[in-house]
Every structure is written in structure tokens, then in C-alpha cells.
Amino acid sequence: MQPHPIDFWWDLVFGTSIVLTMVVALVTVLLIHSRIKLKMRQEKVREVQASERKYQELFNNVSDIVYIHDLEGKILSVNTAVEKIVGYTLRDVEENTLFGFTRQQDHGRVREYLTGLRAAEDEIVGVLPLWSPKHQHVLLLEYRSSAIRLNGAAIAARGIARNITDRIRYEHHLERARLKVHALLEEARIAQEKLAQLSQESIRMQEEDRKWISRELHDEIGQYLTAITIDLQILKQEMLVANPALLKRIDDMKQAAEAVLGKIHNFLKEIRPVPLTELGLVNATKSLLEEFSKRTGILFTFHESRIIEKLGEDQKLALYRIIQESLNNIAKHAHATSGIVNIHSDPARVIVDIIDDGLGFDPEKQGKNTGLGIIGMGERVKLAHGELRVISSPGKGTCINVILPLSKD
């Protein structure tokens, strides 16, 4: 049976429309896919561009110089900090090498730097001097560089550099100041040593003067006064006619001579060099305190210790003179009724306290008005390598604290 012509054409039209519909749908899908793909690509490009902008902003906003250069020293990339710090433009830098920014005498250091990069496995740190057209002098840049490697071989270097010129200058100033202070301290030390020598010589001369004065008073004036006393006694006995007025005058003269002689003897006891090697410091101090109590009426208690006999001879003499000067100060200023000399020790030191119950004073207010006696005591203690403290307050008496080191022998 033959198909009807109308059916044939109908089938042809229907089939063609279906094919056309499918083709249009396919083309539409392809167009939509292409548009989506293009949009995604554009988004990716925008992301990359944004990332690049952020990188450039970060790269150029770093305050230090960030760089990449090859192993011949040619600058491949650098941030804008180089313009602010050194004064070169980016174009000047990226068309030049490290040798172009350094002086001829510094090229050797550049070569050492590039050689070190080729061999280094880790970051290398150092300082390069770069000429700055901006400042018209050399800047010192501290670098931290590491090699960029391809298949294990170094092909370039990246790093960061910081201007440390001011820091180095300040360090040099500080070092010069330190050396100057050290020199001044050394001068002060030498001056102090000379002062100590002068003080020691002064004290030695003082002791020599005491010996001379003691000898002159005892051997010359003392003998003359003794002779005058004897002559007056003889004159009184040999008078042929008793004359009461003349006898009284002779007795008065004899008493005056004896009184002067007594004062000289007392004075000699204070200034005469003490035979410490014979008496020992304990006995000499005990005798000194007994004489002081008899003369002033101020009763002193002595807590003795034989440990002071282990001090050196110079230390013993210094301590004796300090006790003597302390007693003189107490007699003149303290208005005390009693006192204590207390000696104690530890394994390395002898400690002596000279305490009175007198008026006391404020050492801080005393300040520059400190008496020569206390200053002299301080000098003696220093020469004996010890320490001296004056502890006092108004109405509570005074304590002179002396600390002397014991010999290690």
C-alpha cells in the first residue's frame, strides 16, 4: 500500500521541526555554557588582578627594601621603598646592577656577597654600603638574602634590606661615649689611687710629726720644766733669810711648773705613738679608756676581743686612732655620761662599735659640716681597706661603726 503524499510531507515537516528544535536547544545550551565559562574566566582574571594589586600594595608599602636580583647582581624587581630610602627611581634600579650603586672600593664586598649566595643553603645576613644620591653619602643597608633555586641550582636571590646607617652612627657615638666614660673612670681611679697615696703619706707624716712633737716636748721642754722645778726647790731650801712672801712666790712658781709639766704629760699620752707591738691593741685600748674616764668622768665599758690582735699593724694603728678621735669628739660635743666600745667579728671581718649616750645629731643635716675628726677617721679606714659608718639621731646618742677585713693568711 502506497503512503499518502500528505502523510509523507507531514512526517517530513514534523521530523524537521524536531531536529531544528533540538539544534536550537543545543546551540542555546552551548551559548549558555560559553557565557558561563567566559564569566567564570573574567571572575578569575579579576581575582588574579585583585590579588596582584594587593601583592603590589603590600610589596610597595613595606618600609624596607624588598628585592630580587640575579646572581650577577642585576636587579630584577624592587619595591618603591628604594626611592624613599636610597633616592634611586625604580627605572634606575631595575636597569642597573649592585655594582652600579656601590663605590669602586666596595665592589669586592659585592662580589663576596654574590659568591656567598651561590654556596649558601640558608639565608645569609650582612651589611652592604650603597651610595645614596638623595643623601650624598654612603648608606649602610643590612640585608637578609636567600637563593632562588631551580632543580637545586641557584638562579637568583630574593631578600629584604633595611637602612641601619643611623643605628650604626648611634652605636659608634655610644661606643665613643663608652670609651670616653671608661677613660674618665680610669683617670678617676688613678686620681683616687694618688689621693689614697697622698692620704697615706699625710697620715704617715702626721705620725712622724707626733713622734717629733712628743720627743721635743719630752726631751726638751719637759726637761727644762723639771729643771726649773728642781731649781725652785733648791732655791727655797738655800734661802738664808726666811721671807714668807718670796717663799709663797717660789711655791706658786713650782706649782705652775708642775701643772704645765702635768699637762704636757697628758698631752704626750694622746699624741705619743702607741707601742702596739709591745702592749697589744686590747691593752692599749683599755688603758686609753681608763685614762679618758678619769679625765672626763664619762664611764666607758670595754667588751674586748683578742680577735683584733690578728689585724695588720697599720690596721691596728688606724683603729686605735679612730677610737682615740671618737673619744675626743665625745668629750667635746656629746655631753654623754657613759659609753661602750664593743668588739666582735665574723670569719672575715672585725667589727668595732664606739657608742655613747650623748646628744646625738642628724648625719644627713650635718652634711658638709662634718667635722675634720670624722673625715680623718674615714680616711684612715679607707687606707686600712675597711668601712666606717656614723649612726646617730638627735637625743639618741651616736655609734661609730668600723669594719676591717681580716687577713686570709
Side-chain angles (χ1 to χ4, degrees):
M1 181 176 173
Q2 293 290 330
H4 194 280
I6 295 175
D7 293 337
F8 171 77
W9 289 108
W10 172 252
D11 291 341
L12 180 62
V13 170
F14 181 73
T16 301
S17 63
I18 291 175
V19 170
L20 287 173
T21 300
M22 292 179 66
V23 169
V24 170
L26 180 61
V27 170
T28 301
V29 169
L30 289 174
L31 287 172
I32 293 172
H33 177 72
S34 177
R35 186 175 180 80
I36 291 172
K37 192 173 182 182
L38 177 62
K39 190 174 182 180
M40 290 177 65
R41 188 180 294 113
Q42 289 173 341
E43 288 290 335
K44 190 70 173 177
V45 169
R46 280 196 292 271
E47 288 179 6
V48 170
Q49 289 174 340
S51 177
E52 180 67 19
R53 281 196 302 273
K54 288 182 180 178
Y55 171 75
Q56 287 298 328
E57 288 175 3
L58 179 63
F59 185 70
N60 288 314
N61 286 332
V62 174
S63 59
D64 295 329
I65 300 172
V66 182
Y67 55 84
I68 298 175
H69 63 74
D70 65 19
L71 296 185
E72 300 303 319
K74 184 176 181 180
I75 307 299
L76 302 178
S77 178
V78 68
N79 66 343
T80 55
V82 74
E83 297 178 342
K84 300 174 185 175
I85 295 175
V86 186
Y88 293 105
T89 66
L90 290 177
R91 180 167 180 165
D92 291 336
V93 174
E94 292 179 351
E95 292 180 356
N96 213 326
T97 69
L98 292 174
F99 295 98
F101 309 127
T102 52
R103 299 169 300 176
Q104 185 70 32
Q105 61 263 38
D106 295 321
H107 286 181
R109 297 177 68 172
V110 176
R111 282 189 285 271
E112 288 178 8
Y113 162 67
L114 295 173
T115 301
L117 273 172
R118 292 187 180 94
E121 293 293 333
D122 299 318
E123 180 182 70
I124 62 172
V125 180
V127 176
L128 273 180
L130 267 64
W131 172 257
S132 168
K134 178 179 178 180
H135 302 284
Q136 289 298 303
H137 64 75
V138 171
L139 297 181
L140 298 175
L141 297 184
E142 183 183 58
Y143 62 81
R144 307 181 75 88
S145 298
S146 57
I148 300 173
R149 298 185 178 276
L150 181 63
N151 298 325
I155 59 171
R158 59 172 169 256
I160 187 168
R162 174 170 296 176
N163 182 11
I164 60 169
T165 308
D166 289 340
R167 191 187 83 192
I168 294 296
R169 186 183 298 117
Y170 294 148
E171 287 176 356
H172 286 168
H173 287 329
L174 287 173
E175 179 62 15
R176 284 197 293 271
R178 187 190 67 81
L179 291 174
K180 189 172 182 178
V181 169
H182 179 74
L184 290 173
L185 288 174
E186 183 64 17
E187 289 178 11
R189 185 189 65 79
I190 293 171
Q192 190 173 20
E193 286 182 355
K194 288 181 179 178
L195 182 61
Q197 290 174 358
L198 287 172
S199 296
Q200 193 168 11
E201 182 64 16
S202 174
I203 289 173
R204 188 190 65 78
M205 290 178 64
Q206 187 182 67
E207 291 296 330
E208 290 296 325
D209 288 344
R210 285 170 181 257
K211 289 180 184 178
W212 182 83
I213 292 170
S214 173
R215 187 167 54 249
E216 289 296 311
L217 287 174
H218 182 270
D219 296 345
E220 299 293 332
I221 297 175
Q223 288 184 11
Y224 283 135
L225 286 171
T226 301
I228 290 171
T229 303
I230 294 171
D231 288 344
L232 288 169
Q233 182 65 31
I234 293 172
L235 179 61
K236 181 180 178 181
Q237 291 174 355
E238 292 183 352
M239 285 183 63
L240 297 175
V241 179
N243 186 331
L246 185 58
L247 288 174
K248 185 177 185 309
R249 179 68 60 86
I250 292 173
D251 287 337
D252 290 343
M253 292 173 63
K254 183 171 176 289
Q255 288 176 7
E258 289 174 346
V260 171
L261 191 59
K263 287 186 178 295
I264 289 175
H265 286 160
N266 289 334
F267 181 64
L268 288 176
K269 287 179 182 179
E270 290 194 14
I271 70 166
R272 184 184 294 122
V274 183
L276 296 175
T277 52
E278 298 173 12
L279 292 178
L281 184 53
V282 169
N283 292 332
T285 302
K286 191 181 297 184
S287 175
L288 178 65
L289 293 174
E290 288 173 356
E291 290 291 334
F292 177 78
S293 294
K294 287 178 184 177
R295 179 164 51 89
T296 64
I298 303 172
L299 180 63
F300 254 85
T301 305
F302 183 31
H303 297 303
E304 63 183 77
S305 172
R306 294 289 167 180
I307 191 70
I308 59 174
E309 304 298 351
K310 293 185 178 181
L311 293 170
E313 294 305 314
D314 290 340
Q315 289 177 311
K316 288 180 182 179
L317 180 58
L319 183 54
Y320 181 85
R321 291 301 186 201
I322 289 167
I323 295 172
Q324 192 177 47
E325 184 61 38
S326 297
L327 295 176
N328 288 337
N329 287 340
I330 291 169
K332 291 177 184 177
H333 309 296
H335 297 284
T337 59
S338 64
I340 300 170
V341 173
N342 183 36
I343 300 173
H344 53 105
S345 65
D346 59 30
R349 306 175 303 171
V350 168
I351 302 147
V352 180
D353 294 315
I354 306 150
I355 305 167
D356 68 72
D357 64 354
L359 297 177
F361 61 96
D362 187 339
E364 292 185 3
K365 289 184 178 179
Q366 191 83 355
K368 295 181 180 179
N369 297 320
T370 300
L372 292 176
I374 291 179
I375 293 173
M377 287 191 285
E379 290 298 324
R380 285 186 180 275
V381 168
K382 283 182 184 177
L383 292 174
H385 308 291
E387 301 173 34
L388 181 138
R389 292 187 302 164
V390 179
I391 305 164
S392 184
S393 59
K396 295 185 178 180
T398 301
C399 172
I400 304 295
N401 174 251
V402 182
I403 301 173
L404 294 173
L406 282 170
S407 173
K408 294 181 180 179
D409 298 335

